[in-house]
Amino acid sequence: MHGESFVGYVLDTLIQQLINGIMLGSIYALIALGYTMVYGILRIINFAHGDILMVGALTTLSAMNMLESDIPSLPPLARLCLALIMAMIVCALLAMAVERFAYRRLRHAPRLAPLISGIGVSVLLQTVAMIIWTRNPLMFPQILAMDPIAVTHGSEAHPPAIITVTGIVTIALGLVVMLSLWVLVEFSRVGRGMRAVAENPGVPRLAPQRCCPGWKRYEEGEPAIRRRLQKQR
């Protein structure tokens, strides 16, 4: 291999690995955000987080197969969107159940207790998933085009760096979700509450707050805060 051809091979390989890393990294980043948000607010390492995502993926596949058999005229993208909505609902309910039964009573327990509880929930979800969906590998139906798109020119000695439509959509959706999460945490009332609890779990209980309509209204006001701070001094 000549010097110029070798340099081109190295550059094309580097660009290809960068594309692969960004594709996988966008997925890993979303999973990592879930881990860090739970730990940053509740100070609990949720070992069942990845298993909840697994249940969501398998639920999406089952929902797509069900919609394909029940409503065959539905376009593939519409089936995917409906299946994703169903999977989001299932994951939300499952996460609420895990928090309620596995973590809530262990918030003030030693660190090892919620850790063991999370491992138990993880094993339980994996076992239930194997019972429902079996251990055999499952394939998602191909919806987006998988035709490679050349990013570099390549040469006769080595192929060019490529990317697919699926990879582009994966990166774009990852960026959209991460940006939406950042806007939620930084600029919404819910996000301010999350950051306040993550900074100091005890202080938000002293601040005046209003819950959703129909809920009980808690309001201690500034004088009560001053009295509590004076007692602490």
Side-chain angles (χ1 to χ4, degrees):
M1 184 179 291
H2 300 289
E4 184 178 351
S5 178
F6 178 75
V7 172
Y9 168 76
V10 171
L11 289 177
D12 287 348
T13 303
L14 176 62
I15 293 172
Q16 183 65 66
Q17 296 306 319
L18 285 175
I19 293 172
N20 297 338
I22 293 173
M23 286 172 53
L24 291 174
S26 61
I27 299 174
Y28 293 157
L30 295 178
I31 300 174
L33 282 174
Y35 272 112
T36 53
M37 287 187 67
V38 172
Y39 181 79
I41 297 173
L42 299 179
R43 297 294 187 269
I44 291 175
I45 300 177
N46 183 16
F47 268 95
H49 183 73
D51 300 286
I52 293 174
L53 293 176
M54 171 200 66
V55 171
L58 294 173
T59 302
T60 303
L61 179 59
S62 298
M64 289 183 67
N65 293 333
M66 180 189 67
L67 291 172
E68 186 177 7
S69 60
D70 293 344
I71 315 176
S73 60
L74 199 64
L77 283 178
R79 285 202 306 267
L80 177 61
C81 292
L82 290 176
L84 287 174
I85 293 173
M86 296 178 188
M88 291 177 191
I89 295 173
V90 170
C91 287
L93 294 175
L94 181 59
M96 291 169 62
V98 169
E99 190 278 332
R100 174 65 180 83
F101 296 107
Y103 291 129
R104 181 170 298 183
R105 296 187 179 182
L106 301 176
R107 285 184 183 178
H108 304 290
R111 292 283 181 92
L112 190 60
L115 192 67
I116 295 173
S117 179
I119 294 174
V121 172
S122 174
V123 173
L124 175 64
L125 291 178
Q126 292 177 25
T127 305
V128 172
M130 285 190 291
I131 293 173
I132 297 175
W133 288 283
T134 73
R135 297 184 179 185
N136 300 324
L138 301 174
M139 297 294 294
F140 270 81
Q142 193 61 49
I143 296 177
L144 300 176
M146 288 296 293
D147 297 332
I149 301 173
V151 179
T152 60
H153 296 291
S155 67
E156 295 180 357
H158 59 84
I162 61 172
I163 191 173
T164 62
V165 176
T166 303
I168 296 173
V169 172
T170 300
I171 296 172
L173 286 179
L175 291 175
V176 169
V177 172
M178 286 185 276
L179 181 61
S180 302
L181 184 61
W182 175 74
V183 171
L184 173 69
V185 172
E186 289 292 330
F187 301 105
S188 69
R189 184 178 180 182
V190 174
R192 287 194 296 270
M194 292 164 60
R195 286 186 282 120
V197 173
E199 184 71 24
N200 192 327
V203 171
R205 299 175 184 174
L206 303 175
Q209 54 180 313
R210 293 185 180 180
C211 295
C212 299
W215 287 22
K216 185 178 179 181
R217 176 179 173 179
Y218 296 91
E219 220 167 6
E220 293 179 339
E222 192 173 328
I225 298 175
R226 290 179 179 175
R227 287 196 299 270
R228 295 193 179 189
L229 292 176
Q230 289 175 358
K231 288 181 181 179
Q232 292 178 0
R233 292 175 184 173

